[in-house]
């Protein structure tokens, strides 16, 4: 009941927000919030730290940008295509990476995503250092002009809500319960008869697909897909958003993404070097604040 | 014999030499990672950044104090090792009791801080570092020209790698180290100060990275970004070799460097990703890595 109220209030704020804040900024927050939620589905609910999620985010951005700009696809189809490609990549990467656990898993995903980075640098269609620029936003369903800031904003909000709802549903399903069981004690889950490899792989594909959805949407919003989207520093950033907000909480990644994006746009206008500040927050979070903001709040709420 | 498989021998051997040099750096860096991982169970994401710091310390010593390469080769690893000691004492130490993933995340944050700070002060353009007087020029080997400095890099890193391997696998200190990895409580009961040993291991591991940085300074430009892309390849090397193994780190590092060089000759487009493709293949056949064991 309380959660439903919170969601309703959050949604109301999100609907009213573009009248108070700069829509492009809000859309950036929403894209990264969806990305972080997708990442959190793995780390928070299946205990798998992927350090290569930028590969899915960035590849989807490239595919969507290329499909819309060069093939002239409608934006919704472009985003769908980007999501599908990211999910397919998730199937391949996941199948390779879930053979090892813990830090090995993290290193393998990191290395595979670096391969994607080099491909993005060398392949013809990605535009190398320049990326794909000037992606047209186009007409959603052939009717809604996405060049209108409000139309674009509500489209992104709808995509975010759909993605978030899917994650919510996944986490609160029998499938999500099995994932949590794997996170807590994998050998026991195996002995209960669950084929944990399959559960982990499915979670990986789902997470990669949702990260792709965020990346494809980002490409339409900013009309740009660039190398930054596939760097391993981007993978690290999404880890930070999740860690700062609270791993394994549903709203944590949203809060974390909002804070990091706000901070970055604020720091951009100062002379402080952004990576140093981000790195320092990382260090502080790991040392003294491992539950994150939402995690800390939940831990302090009176138990009923 | 004017060509080998349609490639002029000069080009082939030149690329193989470049590969061997890259391989030396892979070996030195993955060795340091293996030593640290063995003792601390931490994947040191700051390794690439500390390699960069090593190169920068050498450059700073030369530029501002006029201290030459040979002294920097000793001094710079000591500075980097001291930084490592401080990091371990003040931060990493607090994380041994929680999930190992937090060690990875902490060192990632540290890497961002180091790289960001140097980038802020020195930009990304890179600074040249002269080859030391003694090692200028080169040898004509008949089939190819070998610049002296590059020959020195290969020899120096091989000596350090096998010295480290010998110290860990064949000496009493190494035996304590290996024993403490298996059962720290028991080794502590024998009167050996394990926490100090852990600190020293981390300092030594990152000092190796600093050493590699000084070796690299005259070959590559000294730039804040020099570590960040290299380190991911080194991670792939570590996954291929098997994380626990010292010998695996050295052998895999050198051979993957060579293989990368060969790829550059025959199919240049793939040279950046060949290591990752091999990683994928090895993972399918032997998930623990070539020299690793399942734990």
């Amino acid at each position: 009941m309380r959660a439903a109220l919170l969601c309703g209030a959050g949604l109301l704020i999100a609907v009213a927000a573009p009248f108070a804040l700069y829509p492009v900024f809000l859309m950036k927050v929403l894209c990264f919030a969806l990305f972080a939620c997708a990442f959190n589905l793995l780390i928070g609910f299946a205990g798998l730290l992927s350090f290569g999620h930028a590969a899915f985010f960035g590849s989807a951005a490239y595919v969507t940008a290329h499909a819309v700009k060069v093939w002239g696809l409608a934006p919704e189809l472009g985003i769908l295509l980007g999501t599908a490609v990211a999910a397919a990549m998730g199937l391949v990467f996941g199948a390779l990476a879930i053979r090892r656990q813990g830090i090995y898993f993290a290193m393998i995903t990191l290395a595979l995503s670096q391969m994607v980075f080099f491909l993005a640098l060398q392949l013809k269609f990605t535009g190398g250092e320049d990326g794909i620029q000037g992606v047209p936003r186009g007409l959603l369903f052939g009717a809604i002009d996405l060049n209108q800031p409000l139309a674009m904003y509500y489209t992104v909000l709808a995509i975010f809500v759909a993605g978030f709802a899917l994650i919510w549903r996944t986490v609160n399903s029998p499938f999500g319960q099995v994932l949590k069981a794997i996170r807590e004690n994998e050998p026991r889950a195996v002995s209960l008869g669950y084929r944990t490899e399959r559960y982990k792989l499915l979670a990986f594909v789902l997470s990669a697909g949702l990260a792709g959805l965020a990346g494809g949407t980002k490409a339409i919003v900013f009309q740009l897909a660039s190398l930054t989207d596939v760097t391993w520093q981007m993978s690290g950033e999404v880890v930070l958003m999740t860690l700062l907000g609270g791993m394994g909480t549903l709203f944590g990644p949203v809060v974390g993404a909002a804070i990091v994006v706000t901070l970055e746009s604020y720091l951009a206008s100062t002379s402080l070097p952004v990576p140093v500040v981000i790195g320092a927050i990382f260090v502080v979070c790991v040392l003294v604040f491992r539950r994150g903001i939402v995690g800390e709040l939940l831990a302090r709420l009176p138990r009923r | 014999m004017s060509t080998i498989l349609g490639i002029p021998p000069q080009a082939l051997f030149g690329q193989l030499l470049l590969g061997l040099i890259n391989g030396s750096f892979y070996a030195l860096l993955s060795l340091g990672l293996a030593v640290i991982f063995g003792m601390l169970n931490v994947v040191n994401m700051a390794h690439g950044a500390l390699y960069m710091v090593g190169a920068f310390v050498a450059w700073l010593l030369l530029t501002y104090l006029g201290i030459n390469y040979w002294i920097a080769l000793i001094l710079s690893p000591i500075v980097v090792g001291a930084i490592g000691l401080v990091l371990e004492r003040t931060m990493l130490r607090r994380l041994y009791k929680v999930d190992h993933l937090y060690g990875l995340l902490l060192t990632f944050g540290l890497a961002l801080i180091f790289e960001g700070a140097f980038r802020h002060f020195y930009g990304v353009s890179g600074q040249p570092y002269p080859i030391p007087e003694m090692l200028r020029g080169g040898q004509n080997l008949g089939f190819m020209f070998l610049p002296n400095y590059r020959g020195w890099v290969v020899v120096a890193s091989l000596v350090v790698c096998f010295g480290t391997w010998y110290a860990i696998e064949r000496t009493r200190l190494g035996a304590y180290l290996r024993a403490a990895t298996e059962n720290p409580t028991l080794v502590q009961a024998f009167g050996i100060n394990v926490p100090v040993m852990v600190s020293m291991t981390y300092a030594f591991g990152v000092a190796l990275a600093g050493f590699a940085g000084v070796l690299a300074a005259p070959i590559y430009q000294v730039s804040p970004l020099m570590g960040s892309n290299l380190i991911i390849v080194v991670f792939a090397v570590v996954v291929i070799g098997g994380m626990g193994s010292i010998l695996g780190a050295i052998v895999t590092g050198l051979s993957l460097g060579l293989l990368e060089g060969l790829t550059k000759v025959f199919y240049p487009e793939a040279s950046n990703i060949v290591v990752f493709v091999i990683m994928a293949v090895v993972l399918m056949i032997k998930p623990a890595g070539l020299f690793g064991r399942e734990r």
Side-chain angles (χ1 to χ4, degrees):
Chain A
M1 187 62 205
R2 191 193 273 176
L5 273 176
L6 260 174
C7 275
L11 201 58
L12 268 180
I13 293 170
V15 169
F19 298 101
L21 290 160
Y22 190 45
V24 174
F25 167 77
L26 290 171
M27 287 189 276
K28 188 171 183 189
V29 170
L30 285 177
C31 288
F32 278 99
L34 181 56
F35 184 24
C37 287
F39 168 79
N40 183 47
L41 181 62
L42 267 187
I43 179 73
F45 297 100
L48 295 169
L49 171 61
S50 157
F51 222 105
H53 253 48
F56 310 120
F57 182 76
S59 301
Y62 276 121
V63 169
T64 303
H66 184 77
V68 171
K69 188 181 177 186
V70 181
W71 297 342
L73 247 59
E76 68 276 8
L77 291 177
I79 293 175
L80 269 182
L81 188 66
T83 309
V85 169
M89 279 170 57
L91 187 63
V92 178
F93 285 18
L96 277 169
I98 56 169
R99 300 167 68 98
R100 303 303 312 270
Q101 290 173 349
I103 35 194
Y104 297 93
F105 179 86
M107 289 168 72
I108 291 162
T109 46
L110 179 58
L112 287 171
S113 83
Q114 193 66 2
M115 186 161 94
V116 173
F117 171 79
F118 281 121
L119 285 175
L121 192 61
Q122 283 177 339
L123 290 179
K124 286 274 178 312
F125 89 96
T126 57
E129 302 268 356
D130 299 332
I132 305 177
Q133 299 174 1
V135 179
R137 282 184 178 173
L139 296 173
L140 186 71
F141 304 121
I144 306 163
D145 184 6
L146 291 182
N147 289 308
Q148 302 293 325
L150 277 184
M152 186 76 242
Y153 174 78
Y154 287 119
T155 307
V156 177
L157 183 61
I159 291 173
F160 171 80
V161 169
F164 190 81
L166 180 62
I167 292 171
W168 178 293
R169 194 70 206 89
T170 305
V171 169
N172 293 308
S173 69
F175 172 74
Q177 294 303 320
V178 178
L179 283 185
K180 282 181 209 163
I182 294 172
R183 179 187 69 189
E184 296 304 329
N185 192 339
E186 183 163 2
R188 184 174 285 179
V190 173
S191 73
L192 286 172
Y194 291 110
R195 300 181 67 172
T196 56
E197 303 268 299
R198 291 196 172 183
Y199 281 88
K200 287 199 281 189
L201 187 58
L202 184 53
F204 198 92
V205 172
L206 203 58
S207 174
L210 285 165
L213 180 63
T217 311
K218 199 228 77 164
I220 298 289
V221 170
F222 292 96
Q223 307 182 287
L224 171 75
S226 72
L227 272 181
T228 319
D229 301 336
V230 281
T231 53
W232 62 274
Q233 285 84 352
M234 176 65 86
S235 299
E237 205 158 290
V238 79
V239 181
L240 175 63
M241 290 170 181
T242 312
L243 183 65
L244 180 62
M247 282 180 185
T249 63
L250 271 166
F251 289 102
V254 183
V255 174
I259 293 175
V260 173
V261 172
T262 311
L263 196 68
E264 277 176 356
S265 53
Y266 169 73
L267 286 174
S269 62
T270 70
S271 64
L272 279 171
V274 180
V276 177
V277 177
I278 298 284
I281 300 175
F282 233 114
V283 169
V284 171
C285 278
V286 171
L287 283 178
V288 296
F289 201 59
R290 281 190 283 276
R291 278 195 288 230
I293 294 169
V294 174
E296 200 71 40
L297 283 176
L298 286 178
R300 285 175 190 200
L301 274 181
R303 292 256 153 250
R304 275 168 303 167
Chain B
M1 192 182 83
S2 61
T3 63
I4 300 169
L5 299 171
I7 307 282
Q10 265 82 4
L12 180 64
F13 287 116
Q15 284 303 337
L16 279 180
L17 176 67
L18 276 183
L20 194 60
I21 289 170
N22 283 339
S24 306
F25 289 119
Y26 297 160
L28 268 178
L29 292 175
S30 59
L31 173 67
L33 282 174
V35 170
I36 292 172
F37 181 76
M39 199 66 207
L40 288 74
N41 264 317
V42 164
V43 176
N44 189 30
M45 290 281 282
H47 217 68
L50 289 163
Y51 156 85
M52 177 273 293
V53 172
F56 252 102
V57 169
W59 181 81
L60 291 169
L61 286 174
L62 183 74
T63 312
Y64 294 105
L65 301 173
I67 290 173
N68 74 19
Y69 173 83
W70 299 104
I71 300 176
L73 200 56
I74 312 278
L75 217 52
S76 183
I78 294 177
V79 171
V80 174
I83 297 175
L85 204 59
V86 172
L87 296 180
E88 199 277 339
R89 286 269 152 145
T90 55
M91 298 177 186
L92 273 171
R93 171 155 295 183
R94 297 153 174 256
L95 297 176
Y96 296 147
K97 288 204 173 69
V98 295
D99 196 323
H100 299 324
L101 291 172
Y102 287 109
L104 186 153
L105 294 177
L106 177 86
T107 47
F108 173 76
L110 293 173
L112 286 181
I113 296 178
F114 282 121
E115 278 172 5
F118 276 93
R119 199 174 169 162
H120 185 63
F121 291 112
Y122 299 100
V124 289
S125 52
Q127 317 283 348
Y129 188 96
I131 292 176
E133 201 79 43
M134 230 170 97
L135 295 173
R136 297 215 177 120
Q139 311 294 326
N140 194 346
L141 302 180
F143 56 90
M144 68 173 293
F145 182 78
L146 173 71
N148 285 342
Y149 187 78
R150 306 203 160 195
W152 152 252
V153 167
V154 174
V155 173
S157 59
L158 279 179
V159 168
V160 171
C161 281
F162 283 97
T164 308
W165 172 81
Y166 185 85
I168 290 175
E169 299 290 338
R170 293 283 183 273
T171 65
R172 184 169 286 261
L173 176 70
Y176 289 146
L177 211 65
R178 281 177 289 135
T181 315
E182 295 293 327
N183 192 339
T185 323
L186 188 67
V187 175
Q188 185 114 33
F190 285 149
I192 291 164
N193 194 335
V194 174
V196 167
M197 212 150 87
V198 170
S199 304
M200 294 319 277
T201 305
Y202 188 74
F204 176 72
V206 297
L208 280 178
F211 180 78
V214 186
L215 280 185
I219 300 185
Y220 310 108
Q221 299 242 302
V222 179
S223 130
L225 305 177
M226 65 192 284
S228 58
N229 285 333
L230 181 67
I231 195 63
I232 313 292
V233 180
V234 175
F235 279 163
V237 168
V238 163
V239 171
I240 296 168
M243 191 88 200
S245 164
I246 302 284
L247 197 63
I250 302 172
V251 174
T252 322
L254 285 171
S255 31
L256 283 173
L258 280 174
L259 200 77
E260 214 179 43
L262 272 181
T263 318
K264 217 165 249 165
V265 179
F266 293 106
Y267 192 55
E269 291 80 7
S271 64
N272 276 330
I273 59 168
V274 64
V275 173
F276 303 113
V277 174
I278 291 174
M279 183 192 76
V281 173
V282 168
L283 279 172
M284 277 189 275
I285 303 163
K286 208 162 176 280
L290 295 177
F291 293 80
R293 53 203 164 109
E294 284 289 355
R295 3 180 157 193

